[in-house]
Amino acid sequence: MTSPSLAAENAVTARPEPAGRSPGQLMWRRFRRDRAGVAAACVVAFFFLVALAAPLISWAYGKDPYTTYGLDEAGLLNEFGYPVAPNGGISGRFWFGIEPTLGRDVLTQLVHGIRTSLLIAAAATVLCVLTGIVVGVTAGYAGGRTDYFLGRFIDLLLAFPQQLSFVAFTPVVYALFVSPGKETPTYLRVITLIIVLWVLGWMGLARLLRGQVLSLREREFVEAAKVTGASPWRVITRELLPNLWTPILVQATLMLPALVTTEAGLSFIGVGIVEPTPDWGRMFANGAKFYESDITYIFFPGIAMILFVVAFNLLGDSVRDAFDPRTKR
């Protein structure tokens, strides 16, 4: 018969060892507890899913963003070009209504417009983040003349008024590839917008990372890695970058919605995506013409833009809090 003390000792020894959690696991655990962050992540994922599945949505819905249903079929638009049916022509056939004047389907225009804007903004964000990491970490780690010249180059680019520079430089880049008088192809407009947003959008992240690296390179773990003979590449990738993911991810989540609104603004004023390519900004431009007689048309892209920007900003705050629990909103 086993004594009570021996049974208790066996129970203690049989108890599993507590497993340690990595920083990534701790971050994920803290993030899951943030209901606002999880909800924002779901909204952001939904927008990206809509962007990726835009052709499939159009196929299942049975309409496309280019067909002028109001002009092709009588009874959809009145003599002034506005939808005959109330609320912008919303019906079982046109779920979000139809566009005034041309009578195109609003739902398919919106999902394809989201696809266009997110494609441009996501590509520009990736390029800005990569450039900001390379320039910022190089300037902060190398120091000396390298830091001085890169810092002055960043200051030079930051001196340009950003919004005015977007408007001024975009037509200049178009003119480098297309002769005057010829229409700029859509693919070239997309590439040009990505280039302009990239060239004028990476400096803030680079300056932030430079400051972070300047404070980290004097820390004990970096000095210890240097003493052991680690190469600069190993010091940067193994010691510095793991401590920079928080500002990188937070800045990326704040940069993408800012670039979405910038791209929409360029299309709104006519230097971005133009007809007939669906685009968020172009929908706002058309809605500004019709809002007095048909406010419904601008309602759906406006609500979608607000939800997207707010969700991405909340996601950025949640990611920051998950990485650094000492921060408080």
Side-chain angles (χ1 to χ4, degrees):
M1 183 174 180
T2 306
S3 64
S5 60
L6 181 60
E9 183 179 352
N10 291 335
V12 171
T13 56
R15 186 176 301 167
E17 293 283 339
R21 293 186 174 89
S22 66
Q25 291 174 328
L26 293 174
M27 185 277 293
W28 175 242
R29 186 180 182 184
R30 287 191 292 265
F31 179 78
R32 286 186 303 174
R33 293 176 177 176
D34 190 343
R35 295 182 179 180
V38 173
C42 292
V43 173
V44 169
F46 171 76
F47 273 96
F48 276 98
L49 181 62
V50 168
L52 293 174
L56 181 60
I57 294 173
S58 295
W59 173 80
Y61 182 52
K63 296 176 181 63
D64 64 79
Y66 304 102
T67 302
T68 54
Y69 299 97
L71 298 180
D72 299 340
E73 302 178 27
L76 294 178
L77 299 176
N78 59 24
E79 62 272 19
F80 302 105
Y82 292 100
V84 173
N87 300 318
I90 295 177
S91 64
R93 183 184 176 192
F94 300 101
W95 294 357
F96 285 7
I98 57 177
E99 179 188 23
T101 306
L102 296 178
R104 293 177 294 193
D105 180 71
V106 175
L107 175 58
T108 53
Q109 278 199 327
L110 179 59
V111 296
H112 281 80
I114 292 173
R115 179 185 179 90
T116 303
S117 297
L118 282 187
L119 168 66
I120 295 171
T125 300
V126 171
L127 292 174
C128 287
V129 169
L130 293 177
T131 306
I133 292 174
V134 171
V135 176
V137 173
T138 301
Y141 184 79
R145 292 185 177 181
T146 302
D147 181 26
Y148 176 81
F149 286 113
L150 288 178
R152 301 297 74 75
F153 180 64
I154 292 173
D155 292 339
L156 175 64
L157 292 180
L158 288 174
F160 289 97
Q162 194 174 55
Q163 299 299 328
L164 292 178
S165 299
F166 287 139
V167 176
F169 291 154
T170 303
V172 173
V173 179
Y174 290 151
L176 295 177
F177 300 99
V178 180
S179 301
K182 292 185 178 180
E183 185 176 353
T184 305
T186 300
Y187 77 90
L188 186 56
R189 287 184 174 273
V190 171
I191 294 174
T192 299
L193 287 173
I194 292 174
I195 292 174
V196 172
L197 293 175
W198 165 43
V199 171
L200 296 174
W202 57 268
M203 296 82 69
L205 177 60
R207 172 172 280 186
L208 175 64
L209 294 182
R210 172 190 172 273
Q212 294 283 334
V213 173
L214 284 175
S215 63
L216 288 173
R217 71 178 186 178
E218 306 298 335
R219 301 283 292 273
E220 292 81 0
F221 62 91
V222 176
E223 294 295 334
K226 293 179 180 179
V227 170
T228 59
S231 64
W233 174 255
R234 183 177 178 86
V235 172
I236 291 173
T237 56
R238 297 295 182 88
E239 306 297 338
L240 294 178
L241 280 180
N243 292 281
L244 298 175
W245 285 120
T246 299
I248 290 173
L249 290 178
V250 172
Q251 289 300 311
T253 54
L254 298 177
M255 185 184 299
L256 194 145
L259 293 181
V260 167
T261 55
T262 300
E263 186 277 333
L266 293 175
S267 299
F268 180 86
I269 61 178
V271 297
I273 303 299
V274 297
E275 294 282 6
T277 306
D279 183 80
W280 236 340
R282 189 185 55 73
M283 292 190 73
F284 282 115
N286 290 340
K289 304 174 185 177
F290 311 133
Y291 78 95
E292 292 184 352
S293 300
D294 182 16
I295 197 173
T296 308
Y297 178 77
I298 202 173
F299 176 80
F300 292 107
I303 291 297
M305 180 69 76
I306 292 173
L307 287 176
F308 178 79
V309 173
V310 172
F312 237 111
N313 288 333
L314 289 176
L315 179 61
D317 290 340
S318 298
V319 170
R320 179 199 62 200
D321 294 345
F323 270 101
D324 188 359
R326 293 172 299 177
T327 58
K328 298 294 183 181
R329 295 188 202 178

